[in-house]
Amino acid sequence: MNGCFEVLKSGKRVFFKEGQFFAVGDVTPESGHTVTNSIKMGQSITSEKQPNLLVTEWTSGNHCCNTFYVFEIGKKFKLIANIDAEYFEISEFRDLRGDGNLELVTADFTFAYWHVGCCFSHSPTIILTYQNGRYLPDLEKMKKMATTEKQLQDWANEYKAKFVDAVKDLPDDKWAAPYEMWQKMLNLIYTGNMNSAWRLCDLSWPANHPGKSIFLKEFIKQLQTSPYYQDINQASFQGVAVQKKDMLKCSPNKVKLVGTFKDVIFPGPPDYKSVAKGDAPEDYWILKLEKPIDVEKDPDYPVPDKNRPQLNQRELQINLDVYLAVC
């Protein structure tokens, strides 16, 4: 099934695009059905303060693919952005500054399937904001505080122990490093802490394990293919201030959070994989937050070496002893 999208102004066509599925707002990846979106036609979503139109195209197929078209629809009509967001589920326009201008929280898929399968692919978060006539990485919103040497050492101890299994899993790989290590390196790089990423690699790599120089060469070569490389390599966001947020405590702590409840079905026993294949459905309430939060370590967490702060959390599972009445 093919679709098309057409824009008319005063009865005359000013834009036309053929494709699979189109929607004003968002598209549900599995079906292509449109869903309600808070971005209304004519709503200004950029600093230009012009009425805008957001259209999403979904190409269908496994793990693919989404494109956002952003138009100005005031006195003058023009396409101001054509953003290839690839995987829909982790892309969303949000007002991160509370100023009415929407940033696009998406991901960089440069390392998708790089030395791993789909389930272990990693795509670090990219935040795009409209500036100087186009969408560019919002380094201020992406920047995070530098990681301490102790935290780097803790991660390194964990990853160093995984090299033996990496060799077993990747016997033909030239360097056979655990994917958890270089994925953490990506997270550091994309939050303005590139030097910490190289330090983590040095601390994690066992002295008797070959291939470190080959790994770094291939890793950097792949990184340089990113469309955002020049931005994230700006002396690792030199001069960009970190936006500090208060860390919430796990308990006891009473806070006010604003968001939207959604009822989500997850696969339960026996395999916790697929309701369609026989796993029992388990019903959960998820609170989707308007603004992300940071949460301190849980003092009662049963696995101390896995106990870490939870940063930039956007969804919370709600455990309720009472029934909710949702109107």
Side-chain angles (χ1 to χ4, degrees), residues 8-203:
L8 303 177
K9 183 177 182 181
S10 301
K12 295 182 179 180
R13 178 189 285 178
V14 291
F15 185 85
F16 179 80
K17 179 76 167 60
E18 287 187 310
Q20 190 73 7
F21 298 101
F22 294 91
V24 175
D26 291 342
V27 175
T28 303
E30 291 80 6
S31 64
H33 296 160
T34 58
V35 296
T36 302
N37 187 274
S38 59
I39 302 175
K40 306 301 182 184
M41 186 184 302
Q43 175 184 341
S44 175
I45 65 173
T46 75
S47 57
E48 300 296 317
K49 300 304 180 186
Q50 294 292 318
N52 294 120
L53 168 65
L54 171 67
V55 174
T56 302
E57 177 185 8
W58 179 55
T59 62
S60 78
N62 286 335
H63 314 300
C64 221
C65 266
N66 243 63
T67 301
F68 293 112
Y69 300 91
V70 184
F71 302 89
E72 282 188 4
I73 55 173
K75 292 182 179 180
K76 294 182 179 181
F77 172 86
K78 65 178 179 178
L79 173 66
I80 64 172
N82 180 339
I83 307 168
D84 182 2
E86 297 196 40
Y87 305 113
F88 167 86
E89 292 93 334
I90 52 179
S91 296
E92 185 179 3
F93 283 86
R94 300 176 186 154
D95 185 359
L96 299 179
R97 290 184 170 85
D99 57 5
N101 304 326
L102 304 188
E103 290 77 29
L104 175 59
V105 182
T106 183
D108 184 355
F109 295 91
T110 297
F111 279 82
Y113 305 105
W114 192 71
H115 290 266
V116 292
C118 171
C119 293
F120 301 103
S121 274
H122 183 61
S123 304
T125 298
I126 282 282
I127 300 176
L128 303 178
T129 191
Y130 192 73
Q131 47 188 311
N132 301 320
R134 57 193 179 124
Y135 278 89
L136 297 170
D138 191 329
L139 302 183
E140 180 181 322
K141 282 296 180 183
M142 292 169 59
K143 178 77 173 180
K144 294 187 182 300
M145 296 183 67
T147 305
T148 65
E149 181 71 12
K150 182 181 183 305
Q151 179 64 83
L152 290 174
Q153 188 64 66
D154 288 344
W155 286 334
N157 292 338
E158 176 184 343
Y159 302 147
K160 188 175 292 187
K162 294 176 181 284
F163 271 80
V164 174
D165 289 334
V167 172
K168 294 178 182 177
D169 295 336
L170 304 166
D172 299 324
D173 203 301
K174 302 174 188 176
W175 37 267
Y179 66 87
E180 295 93 339
M181 181 197 72
W182 55 261
Q183 290 182 359
K184 180 64 72 175
M185 290 171 61
L186 284 174
N187 288 344
L188 291 168
I189 290 169
Y190 280 71
T191 54
N193 295 289
M194 188 175 286
N195 288 336
S196 294
W198 310 138
R199 175 64 175 159
L200 177 61
C201 182
D202 288 340
L203 292 172

Side-chain angles (χ1 to χ4, degrees), residues 235-294:
S236 208
F237 305 4
Q238 184 176 4
V240 177
V242 178
Q243 292 198 329
K244 295 183 179 180
K245 293 187 294 185
D246 292 333
M247 296 279 286
L248 302 182
K249 298 181 182 297
C250 284
S251 62
N253 198 24
K254 185 180 292 186
V255 297
K256 180 180 179 180
L257 299 174
V258 179
T260 304
F261 275 112
K262 60 179 182 181
D263 190 11
V264 180
I265 303 295
F266 290 100
D271 297 322
Y272 297 89
K273 292 181 178 180
S274 171
V275 173
K277 293 183 179 180
D279 288 337
E282 294 191 344
D283 203 359
Y284 290 94
W285 285 102
I286 302 296
L287 178 62
K288 187 174 183 179
L289 299 171
E290 283 189 2
K291 296 182 180 180
I293 60 172
D294 293 341

